[in-house]
Structures are given as C-alpha cells and as structure tokens.
Amino acid sequence: MTEQKKTIAELTIELQELRQEHHSLKVSYEKDITERKQEEKTLRKTREQLKLAMDAGEHGFWDWNLDTNDIYFSPRYFTMLGYEPGELPMKLETWVNLMHPDDKKTIVPEVESYVKNAQPYEVEFRLKTKDGNWKWISGRGKSYKKDKNGISHRAVGVHIEITERKQAEDQIRKLSIAMEQSPATVVITDLNGDIEYVNPKFTSTTGYSFDEAISKNPRILKSDETSSEEYKELWETICSGKEWRGEFHNKK
C-alpha cells in the first residue's frame, strides 16, 4: 500500500479536534438561538405594553404586516366607530372599505407611498360608523423594520377621532363667511381695545382700509357728535361680555 496507515495516537487527536469543532459549532448555534429568542421576547413584551396602553386610551392602535397585509386593530379602533372589538376582518381592506369615497381617492395612495418610503405621516379622513354616519379621523403612522434592500416589512400607528374639532373648524369658517358678507359693520378688538379684524362693510363705510384699521383703537373714528358718556357706556358694555346696540357718528 502506498498510503501510510495512521497511528492510534493520530486518530485520537483527529477525533478530539472533531469533537471540539462540533462543540464550538453547537455552542455558537445555541447562542444564536438564545439571542433570537430573547429579541422576540423583548419585542413581544413591548408590543403587549403598547397594546395595553392604547387599549386603555381613547386612540385606536394598528399594527400592519406589510408582507401579508394582515393588520392588528386594537379594541378602541373598532369601538370608536360603533363596532364590537374584532367585528370586522383585520385586513387592510377593512380600513379602505370604511373610508369615505372622496377621501379614498387621495388618502390611500398617499399613505401607501409614505409607508413604502418609510416616512412618518399624519393625514385626515372620514370613516363610516356602524350606524352609517361619518367620523373624522387623524391617522398617524410610521413604517420600519427595513431590510438590507431598504424595504419595510411592518408599520404601526394610531387613529384619533377629531370629529368635534372638524365641526368647530367648519362653524368658524361659516362665521367668517357670514362676517365677510354681512351688511353690518363688524369690528373685533382685543382686551385692550385694539382692532384685530374689520369686515369689508367697515372699510366701505368708514373709508379706512383693512390694513389702516388693524392695531388701531376705534377712537380713530371718534367725532364730536358722540358724547364721552356714550363711548364710556359702549366700552363698559362690550368689556363685560354683553351686546351693545346704539347709533353714533364716526369720522375719518
């Protein structure tokens, strides 16, 4: 035979090396598994804490798996719209199908773009309640868990009901239009009596432009035809929060 036979000592050394190598690989493998399990445990605990916090609050929490389109909706997500927790499927389509048709055209592609590019966002839209009404929602979210290619695999966020705020904004808008179009002169001052707003009727009646009147005191209109007592009564009534009615002559 050309090959030299290995001695018992050589075989023993090789066997020990193999055992050591196997042990090293085993330890490394067990270490990797342990670290991964610990990370999963920490992530699960964090999610549970966040879920408890969101469920106890007034906001709806959502957690979106971008690979499957499965979404976790917190109980409040459902109840703010009049549904029982879990009554609707936890799918992306649930959010899309509840959205007002006018909002859906722009909001859905806008959110998808933010999520795709891992950008935080805040948008406002209407969702349909169980009884058929519409509620205004402020949706805030952010995607993360990006891989080496920059692709996000998860997004989380909240829904905050803002219906009352939107209604108040609408009332302010209507009031503003009413003042702008009013046939009566409207003047708004601060607590010091300095003018903050005048409507178009004021400018056409007095001859003062909007810019000329702002920050001025209404005494710029004072004439000698109205007594000091009448002006005193006017300001005392206004400053007390009551409505003053009367007539007086102004000048420019």
Side-chain angles (χ1 to χ4, degrees), residues 5 20 36 50 55 57 67 73 83 98 107 127-128 130 148 163 171 183 201 224 228 233 242:
K5 290 186 178 179
Q20 289 175 354
R36 183 167 61 83
L50 180 60
D55 290 351
D67 296 325
F73 297 132
Y83 293 94
L98 288 173
I107 295 298
L127 293 183
K128 195 170 188 177
K130 190 173 183 178
K148 62 181 180 180
T163 304
Q171 289 299 317
K201 185 64 176 179
D224 295 332
S228 298
E233 179 190 356
K242 298 178 182 178

Side-chain angles (χ1 to χ4, degrees), residues 134-145:
W134 297 98
K135 283 192 175 183
W136 276 100
I137 302 294
S138 172
R140 306 173 186 179
K142 181 181 180 181
S143 58
Y144 64 104
K145 203 175 180 180

Side-chain angles (χ1 to χ4, degrees), residues 19 70 85 118 178:
R19 285 175 177 173
D70 291 330

Side-chain angles (χ1 to χ4, degrees), residues 214-225:
I214 297 303
S215 299
K216 300 295 193 302
N217 189 285
R219 68 172 62 95
I220 61 174
L221 303 173
K222 186 176 180 180
S223 70
D224 295 332
E225 299 181 35

Side-chain angles (χ1 to χ4, degrees), residues 99-159:
M99 192 175 297
H100 193 285
D102 293 342
D103 301 333
K104 190 184 303 184
K105 300 174 185 176
T106 57
I107 295 298
V108 173
E110 185 177 347
V111 170
E112 289 178 341
S113 176
Y114 280 126
V115 170
K116 180 180 179 181
N117 294 293
Q119 296 176 321
Y121 69 86
E122 180 177 351
V123 293
E124 296 178 357
F125 48 85
R126 288 160 290 182
L127 293 183
K128 195 170 188 177
T129 63
K130 190 173 183 178
D131 59 11
N133 294 314
W134 297 98
K135 283 192 175 183
W136 276 100
I137 302 294
S138 172
R140 306 173 186 179
K142 181 181 180 181
S143 58
Y144 64 104
K145 203 175 180 180
K146 296 170 65 175
D147 59 24
K148 62 181 180 180
N149 297 316
I151 299 174
S152 299
H153 296 274
R154 186 180 178 192
V156 296
V158 295
H159 275 187

Side-chain angles (χ1 to χ4, degrees), residues 192-251:
N192 295 320
D194 295 327
I195 296 174
E196 293 183 328
Y197 168 84
V198 294
N199 70 340
K201 185 64 176 179
F202 172 92
T203 60
S204 64
T205 301
T206 66
Y208 285 94
S209 69
F210 182 89
D211 291 336
E212 288 175 324
I214 297 303
S215 299
K216 300 295 193 302
N217 189 285
R219 68 172 62 95
I220 61 174
L221 303 173
K222 186 176 180 180
S223 70
D224 295 332
E225 299 181 35
T226 302
S227 68
S228 298
E229 287 75 18
E230 288 178 281
Y231 280 113
K232 181 180 179 182
E233 179 190 356
L234 181 155
W235 284 111
E236 287 179 348
T237 302
I238 293 175
C239 291
S240 67
K242 298 178 182 178
E243 180 181 353
W244 181 87
R245 290 177 178 270
E247 295 182 2
F248 55 87
H249 293 130
N250 293 324
K251 72 173 183 177

